[in-house]
Amino acid sequence: MTASATPDETQDGQPEPGLRADAERNRDRILAAARRLYAAEGIGVSMAAVAREAGVGKATLSRRFATREDLITAVFADRMDAYAAAVTEALADPDPWRGFAGYIQAVCAMQAADRGFADVLTMTFPASKALEARRTAAYNGFLELIDHAQAAGHLRDDFTSQDLVILLMANAGVIAATGDAAPETWRRLVGHMLRSYAAPGAALPPLPEGPSPSALYRAMVRLARTGADAS
């Protein structure tokens, strides 16, 4: 058991079988509240805000999740499993380039669906061994995916795994900036980036339509207001 685990929880944050029913309900409420807040606002949400959203006291939250990383690990464990599974599915595609492009689109879609997960994919949590193990498994699979797509001659030879990190950072920024004003903008970014990764002769997926001028303007106004509120 890690130093941050509570006596009635296992190392991966799951409740022990003997956990009291009321404590288990509190844990479920905390996780549900954290998922809602993280998805809408990102993982910068404070623990106090999570406790308020869950309708529990700070002490109750601390008993279930002693640290912010403990809570993040529990909230995003299933999403990190899906992240690792996406690369396994891509590697199973008999067309390496199609598998590569599909993986890029799938991971960026995961980011778009959950702002918190968009944050998690561009950060590391050294104290969370479970979360980082899933990330490492996905990364190693992605390295293999790169090798296959380059060997097939459809992925540029100068593409590296760092380019995915750059894309995820850029995609997270677009998602945060456009919000509900132009929520599909990220698809256009990903479409352009896949074209930049493709070697000559690779089959290019259709380029998604960009946001309308009015939607992009609303996103720019929203971003300006967000910046003003933060200052």
Side-chain angles (χ1 to χ4, degrees), residues 130-212:
L131 206 63
E132 291 305 309
R134 292 174 175 90
R135 188 196 307 279
T136 298
Y139 176 75
N140 290 337
F142 184 61
L143 293 179
E144 188 176 352
L145 191 61
I146 291 172
D147 288 342
H148 290 180
Q150 287 176 334
H154 293 152
L155 176 64
R156 288 174 55 129
D157 290 337
D158 56 0
F159 180 90
T160 70
S161 60
Q162 291 92 328
D163 291 319
L164 175 62
V165 178
I166 294 169
L167 172 58
L168 293 177
M169 288 179 173
N171 195 46
V174 168
I175 292 165
T178 55
D180 295 335
E184 300 299 305
T185 304
W186 68 273
R187 297 185 186 277
R188 182 78 171 184
L189 168 69
V190 173
H192 277 303
M193 294 309 296
L194 283 173
R195 279 163 167 70
S196 75
Y197 302 153
L204 300 178
L207 182 64
E209 291 186 6
S212 68

Side-chain angles (χ1 to χ4, degrees), residues 101-112:
Y103 175 73
I104 295 292
Q105 292 167 327
V107 172
C108 289
M110 290 178 192
Q111 283 188 299

Side-chain angles (χ1 to χ4, degrees), residues 40-226:
E41 304 177 29
I43 62 173
V45 174
S46 68
M47 295 286 275
V50 173
R52 286 194 300 271
E53 178 75 10
V56 301
K58 294 181 182 179
T60 298
L61 174 60
S62 295
R63 282 196 297 272
R64 300 277 69 79
F65 303 99
T67 70
R68 175 172 169 268
E69 286 196 359
D70 289 342
L71 180 58
I72 289 171
T73 297
V75 168
F76 292 105
D78 58 342
R79 288 164 177 78
M80 288 301 288
D81 284 341
Y83 177 54
V87 75
T88 300
E89 181 179 348
L91 285 168
D93 194 313
D95 182 333
W97 168 249
R98 184 175 61 196
F100 173 89
Y103 175 73
I104 295 292
Q105 292 167 327
V107 172
C108 289
M110 290 178 192
Q111 283 188 299
D114 188 326
R115 277 194 60 186
F117 192 57
D119 292 340
V120 168
L121 285 182
T122 57
M123 301 171 68
T124 59
F125 301 90
S128 177
K129 295 182 179 179
L131 206 63
E132 291 305 309
R134 292 174 175 90
R135 188 196 307 279
T136 298
Y139 176 75
N140 290 337
F142 184 61
L143 293 179
E144 188 176 352
L145 191 61
I146 291 172
D147 288 342
H148 290 180
Q150 287 176 334
H154 293 152
L155 176 64
R156 288 174 55 129
D157 290 337
D158 56 0
F159 180 90
T160 70
S161 60
Q162 291 92 328
D163 291 319
L164 175 62
V165 178
I166 294 169
L167 172 58
L168 293 177
M169 288 179 173
N171 195 46
V174 168
I175 292 165
T178 55
D180 295 335
E184 300 299 305
T185 304
W186 68 273
R187 297 185 186 277
R188 182 78 171 184
L189 168 69
V190 173
H192 277 303
M193 294 309 296
L194 283 173
R195 279 163 167 70
S196 75
Y197 302 153
L204 300 178
L207 182 64
E209 291 186 6
S212 68
S214 60
L216 195 56
Y217 176 77
R218 289 194 300 272
M220 293 168 67
V221 170
R222 174 187 177 278
L223 184 60
R225 288 174 178 169
T226 300

Side-chain angles (χ1 to χ4, degrees), residues 1 10 19-20 24 57 93 167 170 200 211 221:
M1 180 177 293
T10 62
L19 187 63
R20 300 189 315 274
E24 187 171 357
D93 194 313
L167 172 58
V221 170

Side-chain angles (χ1 to χ4, degrees), residues 19-30:
L19 187 63
R20 300 189 315 274
D22 59 337
E24 187 171 357
R25 282 193 296 271
N26 283 338
R27 183 180 187 279
D28 290 343
R29 288 167 64 187
I30 291 166

